[in-house]
Amino acid sequence: MTDTSRRVLSRRVSETRAEDTSRLIPEEVPVALVYDGTTHAVMMATPADLEDFGVGFSITEGIVSARDEIRELEIVEHEKGLEARMWLVPEAGRKQVERRRRITGPTSCGLCGVDSLEAAVAEPRRVGRTATTSPAEIQRALGAMSPAQTLNVATRAVHGAAFWDATAGTFAAVREDVGRHNALDKLVGAVATAGLDPTKGFVVLTSRVSVEMVQKTAMMGAEIIVAVSAPTALALRVAEEAGITLVAIARSDAFEIFTHPERITLAAQTGDGDRQEVLPHVLAR
């Protein structure tokens, strides 16, 4: 399998000196998503966890609704890239053929196979209302995120997406990629393949939160997103509609809640015992 990074030579230059050095940089290769022998899309991606990528992409794009609708999956390496070859169960295969007939031309990351403006911002899948978490748990997850990103520690050049397991108090899965959408797709695939309940924790993202990231999380079924960067206005509107709690601009000392804050429970003030305060619901502007 293709390496995920390689060491290259460079020259470090300051105001007064120059010196030869080297560093690790991530690989980026074309990965074709192939269903029943027909290519659906080609994405530029980090060549790691590609089985998870294939499963996650299939779920977030609505090609399948569950992992078991993919009968077989294999990664095939070519000289100039890789293929994630998937064979679907008959019903999913028929739906995919019909979908291909409607496609006028695939577009870029997050909108593969979209053929109209209405489809680009379609009504999102609504998530459930069972997940809760606390500021302390969010802070623990944020503190654990950087060291868990092994490829980013080495290269400082990839995005991360992780699922914090609230029951275990640790990450159940961490996935990385040069593309933020790819990293999230890989995470969705890892969670689905492991049979994890996406409502028993939350998604952590190291990237900005665009509308596609919210749409993919909704397709995953997770109810809470925690991101280190800011969201777009459209991402907020879609998160509100999907019922997702969107926490962003998350730092070691504080974070901001933009939608559905009722899932975040605050510790009671001194003297209140073990009582928890649930933040009231407010609409995103």
Side-chain angles (χ1 to χ4, degrees):
M1 185 63 68
T2 304
D3 292 334
T4 58
S5 64
R6 68 186 182 101
R7 186 166 293 279
V8 299
L9 299 176
S10 64
R11 172 161 288 193
R12 182 183 291 117
V13 179
S14 67
E15 199 171 302
T16 59
R17 61 180 297 183
E19 59 180 342
D20 291 333
T21 186
S22 68
R23 69 166 52 249
L24 283 172
I25 58 173
E27 288 285 359
E28 184 178 21
V29 302
V31 177
L33 288 304
V34 182
Y35 298 95
D36 295 333
T38 301
T39 299
H40 175 82
V42 179
M43 313 294 283
M44 300 303 298
T46 301
D49 302 305
L50 294 182
E51 292 86 355
D52 290 336
F53 184 37
V55 173
F57 180 91
S58 302
I59 292 172
T60 63
E61 290 298 313
I63 295 168
V64 302
S65 59
R67 172 65 180 86
D68 59 11
E69 292 183 12
I70 301 174
R71 293 188 294 111
E72 296 181 48
L73 192 162
E74 65 173 333
I75 305 301
V76 180
E77 188 167 359
H78 299 277
E79 182 180 354
K80 294 185 178 181
L82 302 109
E83 286 184 344
R85 293 180 182 174
M86 289 164 278
W87 287 265
L88 307 178
V89 298
E91 181 60 24
R94 285 192 291 271
K95 290 180 180 178
Q96 174 62 4
V97 169
E98 185 60 32
R99 174 177 175 160
R100 289 295 302 171
R101 288 173 180 160
R102 296 195 303 266
I103 293 176
T104 58
T107 57
S108 62
C109 56
L111 296 175
C112 297
V114 168
D115 59 2
S116 69
L117 293 176
E118 291 77 10
V121 196
E123 182 178 345
R125 172 185 174 183
R126 288 197 61 84
V127 301
R129 300 181 61 85
T130 61
T132 60
T133 190
S134 67
E137 192 164 26
I138 290 174
Q139 296 297 346
R140 283 195 295 272
L142 290 170
M145 188 64 183
S146 290
Q149 290 185 258
T150 56
L151 184 57
N152 193 57
V153 168
T155 65
R156 299 298 177 188
V158 295
H159 297 290
F163 180 69
W164 181 262
D165 185 333
T167 302
T170 188
F171 284 123
V174 180
R175 295 295 182 265
E176 299 177 275
D177 200 278
V178 291
R180 56 198 171 89
H181 303 91
N182 298 342
L184 182 51
D185 278 336
K186 289 178 178 181
L187 178 68
V188 173
V191 169
T193 299
L196 300 174
D197 184 347
T199 69
K200 304 299 184 184
F202 50 85
V203 171
V204 180
L205 303 174
T206 63
S207 61
R208 68 182 176 88
V209 188
S210 61
V211 64
E212 303 98 326
M213 304 298 274
V214 174
Q215 290 169 328
K216 288 177 183 292
T217 302
M219 292 298 286
M220 176 186 182
E223 300 178 19
I224 303 172
I225 297 173
V226 175
V228 301
S229 296
T232 67
L234 181 56
L236 291 187
R237 291 194 290 272
V238 173
E240 179 64 39
E241 188 176 0
I244 289 174
T245 297
L246 179 52
V247 174
I249 317 177
R251 301 292 184 267
S252 59
D253 58 341
F255 53 80
E256 297 181 28
I257 309 172
F258 290 87
T259 58
H260 295 280
E262 66 274 9
R263 289 192 181 91
I264 311 299
T265 57
L266 300 181
Q269 295 181 353
T270 303
D272 286 342
D274 295 329
R275 183 173 62 82
Q276 298 283 307
E277 177 185 356
V278 179
L279 291 176
H281 174 72
V282 292
L283 291 176
R285 295 182 180 83

